[in-house]
Amino acid sequence: MTDKTSNQMWGGRFAAGPDAIMEAINASIGFDQRMAAQDIAGSRAHAAMLAATGILSDSDAAAIREGLLTVLSEIETGHFAFSTALEDIHMNVEARLKEVIGEPAGRLHTARSRNDQVATDFRLWVRDQMDAAMDGITALQRAFLEQAAAGADWVMPGFTHLQTAQPVTWGHHMMAYVEMLGRDHSRFADARRRMNESPLGSAALAGTGFPIDRDMTATALGFDRPTANSLDAVSDRDFALEYLSCASICAMHLSRFAEELVIWSSAQFRFVKMSDKWSTGSSIMPQKRNPDAAELIRAKIGRIFGANVALMMVMKGLPLAYSKDMQEDKEQVFDAADNLMLALAAMTGMVGDMTANRVNLAAAAGAGFSTATDLADWLVRALGLPFREAHHVTGTLVGMAEARGCDLPDLGLEDMQSVHAGITAGVFGVLGVENSVASRMSYGGTAPDQVRAQVARWKERLE
């Protein structure tokens, strides 16, 4: 096979043949440049430690410190030329540092490896993303809290199987998402505590013979402690998997509410109106107001789920310690983090701007025999019936109302007594939706007073 034929097989992009393909598949600078700030922070901490332990002279350490700041400034201002030939962010920074300060740059890599360097950089980056996610979750919780406080006593239907079940309050429904997001926040916080150990100083896999101070670098970078096993430290990506797991559960919650917004904003429900900021029109149907932002959140969640599965598949077959497969850890996490933060921001905007249609909510709350359970409970309390018998009596009355095309409160007392003679006029005191929600005073229930108490508790907690 001629060289020309070989090059054609590789395609125009890889005109140089296999060498160009190897460079393309081996390089990570196209995506890991996002960790530039973390890489430089780790290098500055490492250089300061090397000087403190006498491994590096103070003058070299000072040159490295100032040189790294120069490199960081170039990157942040867009004046840094990234090179694919230098493979990754670590080598790009080190090469430019040498151009800036000369020989001292070559001493920076003493007592460390790219293995512990990338493990440290990636932990720092993921830790930042966990902090950002928690801030985003808190902002969204506050938006839900405002909705809950405004509508603590607005009645609406509660659903099971998307069928009318029992009346609840708008505030109670909003608070359900505050609770979900609270668990999401706690998962990120818990994962952050667990991952907050520094791999720096683990070197390639076995540690180093230099008299380094790992506690010093751990403290400088905001870690709680250094990792306890160098093999584990350079090969561990549990922290990234935990981030993706937490992100997936949080994203699932966002998708559930996005689905409710799609349903609620439809002409069939008209429970909420989305602001123009988060809706679009149709190119041919002028009456349409499409909940595109909610739909896009619902779709983007799949990318976060996919990233979680993809990284699991990368890691599942790797022996200790480091393998080049692990270069494929970052793009998945970067994409998931971008989409989670975008979804959180968009959902916060939508929740803050949406307007509940109180009239339609109330009308729907009283439909579908939503107070049937209240009737059954009354039969138990007032007449002492076993619940199963009360359930049967209530079912019979529901059937009667359905046949007549009316709701339970529209049945007459005589109609009810024809099913069970012991029923009194007192039954009508529990059949209205307002009475129903007001009676649900158990802790965590839908009664307006309970909702207001939960809103107050969460507002204090988020301060």
Side-chain angles (χ1 to χ4, degrees):
M1 183 181 295
T2 66
D3 288 342
K4 181 178 180 180
T5 303
S6 175
N7 291 345
Q8 288 173 344
M9 287 180 64
W10 300 120
R13 182 179 176 191
F14 300 108
D19 288 347
I21 291 181
M22 185 58 198
E23 180 178 299
I25 198 172
N26 193 50
S28 59
I29 189 60
F31 50 86
D32 70 11
Q33 61 184 262
R34 291 184 64 163
M35 300 191 302
Q38 289 79 15
D39 187 74
I40 289 172
S43 290
R44 294 188 70 203
H46 185 66
M49 180 275 295
L50 292 178
T53 54
I55 301 171
L56 191 67
S57 69
D58 289 339
S59 60
D60 282 349
I64 290 171
R65 179 175 63 252
E66 295 305 314
L68 286 171
L69 289 177
T70 298
V71 175
L72 179 61
S73 176
E74 291 175 352
I75 293 173
E76 291 178 339
T77 58
H79 295 103
F80 189 94
F82 293 102
S83 169
T84 304
L86 292 171
E87 296 185 10
D88 55 33
I89 185 61
H90 325 299
M91 298 303 293
N92 270 263
V93 168
E94 187 173 325
R96 178 58 182 150
L97 181 64
K98 185 176 181 180
E99 292 174 352
V100 173
I101 68 171
E103 183 186 17
R107 299 189 176 95
L108 173 60
H109 209 54
T110 306
R112 75 174 181 184
S113 160
R114 276 195 291 178
N115 292 356
D116 63 336
Q117 189 177 358
V118 69
T120 303
D121 293 357
F122 199 22
R123 279 192 190 233
L124 290 170
W125 193 91
V126 170
R127 190 178 69 184
D128 289 343
Q129 292 305 307
M130 287 182 173
D131 291 341
M134 287 188 283
D135 287 344
I137 288 168
T138 298
L140 180 52
Q141 284 182 293
R142 289 196 171 105
F144 274 116
L145 281 171
E146 291 305 313
Q147 287 284 350
D153 58 356
W154 300 353
V155 292
M156 67 174 288
F159 299 98
T160 61
H161 309 279
L162 204 56
Q163 306 293 313
T164 300
Q166 293 177 267
V168 296
T169 53
W170 172 260
H172 192 53
H173 200 111
M174 296 297 102
M175 290 304 297
Y177 284 95
V178 174
E179 293 291 335
M180 290 183 213
L181 291 164
R183 295 192 297 274
D184 292 329
H185 190 285
S186 69
R187 271 184 283 270
F188 278 114
D190 184 54
R192 190 193 191 283
R193 284 191 294 270
R194 189 161 33 252
M195 62 87 71
N196 203 34
E197 297 180 344
S198 174
L200 195 58
S202 298
L205 75 163
T208 178
F210 288 95
I212 62 173
D213 185 345
R214 294 191 63 205
D215 288 298
M216 179 180 174
T217 50
T219 299
L221 294 170
F223 289 112
D224 295 329
R225 65 192 69 85
T227 52
N229 184 285
S230 59
L231 276 171
D232 176 52
V234 299
S235 59
D236 167 47
R237 293 298 182 269
D238 289 1
F239 62 91
L241 289 167
E242 283 203 75
Y243 171 80
L244 292 174
S245 177
C246 296
S248 294
I249 297 173
C250 179
M252 176 267 293
H253 291 149
L254 300 182
S255 186
R256 292 185 74 177
F257 191 66
E259 172 69 7
E260 293 199 310
L261 287 179
V262 170
I263 294 170
W264 289 354
S265 63
S266 69
Q268 290 71 29
F269 274 73
R270 290 184 298 140
F271 282 2
V272 299
K273 181 179 180 181
M274 307 297 297
S275 77
D276 291 342
K277 295 178 183 178
W278 308 103
S279 307
T280 64
S282 166
S283 61
I284 63 171
M285 294 172 283
Q287 83 281 9
K288 295 288 290 298
R289 179 191 290 269
N290 299 323
D292 281 9
E295 292 171 350
L296 287 167
I297 288 175
R298 191 174 57 185
K300 283 181 176 295
I301 301 316
R303 294 170 67 163
I304 299 174
F305 289 1
N308 193 13
V309 174
L311 185 53
M312 284 280 195
M313 296 304 291
V314 167
M315 298 300 299
K316 72 175 183 61
L318 300 186
L320 297 181
Y322 181 84
S323 297
K324 193 68 170 180
D325 311 49
M326 292 165 69
Q327 183 169 289
E328 292 297 309
D329 56 359
K330 297 169 199 66
E331 282 183 287
Q332 307 290 345
V333 179
F334 292 164
D335 186 72
D338 288 345
N339 281 284
L340 177 64
M341 294 309 299
L342 182 60
L344 282 168
M347 186 61 79
T348 301
M350 283 189 289
V351 172
D353 286 353
M354 71 181 179
T355 303
N357 188 325
R358 188 175 178 181
V359 173
N360 287 352
L361 289 171
F369 311 106
S370 64
T371 56
T373 303
D374 297 277
L375 173 56
D377 289 347
W378 182 87
L379 292 169
V380 171
R381 289 195 308 269
L383 304 186
L385 297 184
F387 184 80
R388 287 301 171 198
E389 183 179 348
H391 187 282
H392 176 75
V393 171
T394 301
T396 304
L397 289 171
V398 167
M400 180 185 293
E402 192 170 33
R404 296 184 183 183
C406 67
D407 206 349
L408 285 171
D410 300 319
L411 292 175
L413 181 59
E414 291 183 1
D415 294 324
M416 295 191 180
Q417 289 175 338
S418 70
V419 176
H420 193 284
I423 296 176
T424 69
V427 72
F428 294 102
V430 302
L431 291 182
V433 292
E434 302 286 350
N435 293 331
S436 174
V437 297
S439 71
R440 307 292 175 179
M441 279 295 295
S442 57
Y443 179 79
T446 193
D449 287 346
Q450 279 293 320
V451 172
R452 293 186 182 102
Q454 294 299 334
V455 169
R457 177 177 69 88
W458 268 104
K459 283 188 174 182
E460 182 179 356
R461 181 173 171 180
L462 295 181
E463 287 298 323

